[in-house]
Amino acid sequence: MKAMILAAGLGTRMRPLTDHCPKPLLPVAGKPLIVHHLERLAAAGISEVVINVSYRAEQIMAALGDGSALGVRIAWSREDAPLETGGGIRQALPLLGQAPFLLVNGDIWCDLDPRRLPPLGEDLAHLVLVDNPDHHPSGDFHLDPRGRAQEHGEPRLTFAGLSLLAPALVADEAPGAFPLAPLLRRAMAAGRVAGSHHRGDWVDVGTPERLTALDRRLSTLRG
């Protein structure tokens, strides 16, 4: 299985830290945030990784190269301007191939072992959901007792930014910038989205304050 890491965002919420450093390269416990992802993927046996880049792309590509130092092979999907999540995946499909792939938001940290995720079968997506954090108390989706992700329903959980996706979810969309969420909701309405509730460690590293807190916690664990 291949993986795709989303790393093309502008990092607006992280300013001023991202004024001169792209978000994926911000350090956490002594290494760039994106390196944590790549190391976890390599440990899970996922060696082929597609990374989309746009803002300060050259810095990211220069820092990671072909990925061999981290035990992976990186294919770069360059975007002249950010294409949003859906558009970024759509552009990268020639690099991803026909099989389901693991999608990872570049601005999270999670201890999930991707080998624990079940195969898609006839579904178009399998979403990893987590308990709602303080900064997102209303959540995103409902996970019903059958393990199906639903747009509506209670209780609600937050999308972790980790998922298994079938290329068919975006393949018929026109090239260009578009979000992924409406496509997921459409697939949910068709009964083709599963989910699982991850109860381990997860952080949306979306602000300088949360980055600092994660860096402090992981550095303490390493020490």
Side-chain angles (χ1 to χ4, degrees):
M1 181 172 63
K2 295 183 180 181
M4 180 175 182
I5 300 177
L6 299 172
L10 299 175
T12 306
R13 293 185 300 164
M14 277 291 193
R15 288 176 177 164
L17 299 180
T18 51
D19 285 345
H20 303 288
C21 178
K23 184 164 52 175
L25 297 185
L26 292 174
V28 177
K31 66 184 79 170
L33 178 59
I34 198 170
V35 169
H36 288 271
H37 289 305
L38 293 169
E39 289 179 343
R40 191 171 298 279
L41 292 172
I46 299 174
S47 60
E48 295 187 64
V49 183
V50 176
I51 303 177
N52 69 331
V53 287
S54 182
Y55 175 67
R56 295 193 172 271
E58 293 83 1
Q59 282 182 254
I60 302 173
M61 297 169 71
L64 301 177
D66 63 2
S68 57
L70 297 167
V72 298
R73 295 186 297 275
I74 297 174
W76 298 99
S77 180
R78 184 74 178 267
E79 300 174 11
D80 293 334
L83 294 173
E84 300 188 64
T85 303
I89 297 169
R90 171 67 176 79
Q91 177 172 289
L93 286 184
L95 301 173
L96 289 165
Q98 301 298 314
F101 60 92
L102 179 72
L103 183 70
V104 182
N105 285 12
D107 56 358
I108 64 162
W109 186 89
C110 186
D111 65 355
L112 176 77
D113 184 341
R115 290 172 292 191
R116 294 173 52 195
L117 297 177
L120 280 184
E122 296 301 314
D123 287 332
L124 290 171
H126 182 104
L127 307 183
V128 177
L129 304 170
V130 295
D131 292 332
N132 300 329
D134 291 341
H135 58 85
H136 189 57
S138 60
D140 296 307
F141 304 115
H142 171 62
L143 186 64
D144 72 20
R146 300 175 299 121
R148 313 303 297 174
Q150 308 285 354
E151 180 178 3
H152 304 291
E154 297 290 340
R156 300 181 68 73
L157 296 170
T158 291
F159 177 44
L162 285 162
S163 56
L164 285 178
L165 297 183
L169 182 67
V170 302
D172 292 335
E173 301 298 313
F178 60 89
L180 183 64
L183 304 186
L184 288 173
R185 295 189 184 99
R186 186 173 68 194
M188 286 177 190
R192 300 188 67 187
V193 180
S196 54
H197 186 182
H198 177 63
R199 293 175 170 84
D201 280 347
W202 173 83
V203 179
D204 171 6
V205 194
T207 65
E209 293 75 20
R210 295 202 291 271
L211 178 74
T212 298
L214 178 64
D215 175 68
R216 185 181 301 117
R217 181 156 64 89
L218 295 185
S219 297
T220 300
L221 292 175
R222 287 178 58 199

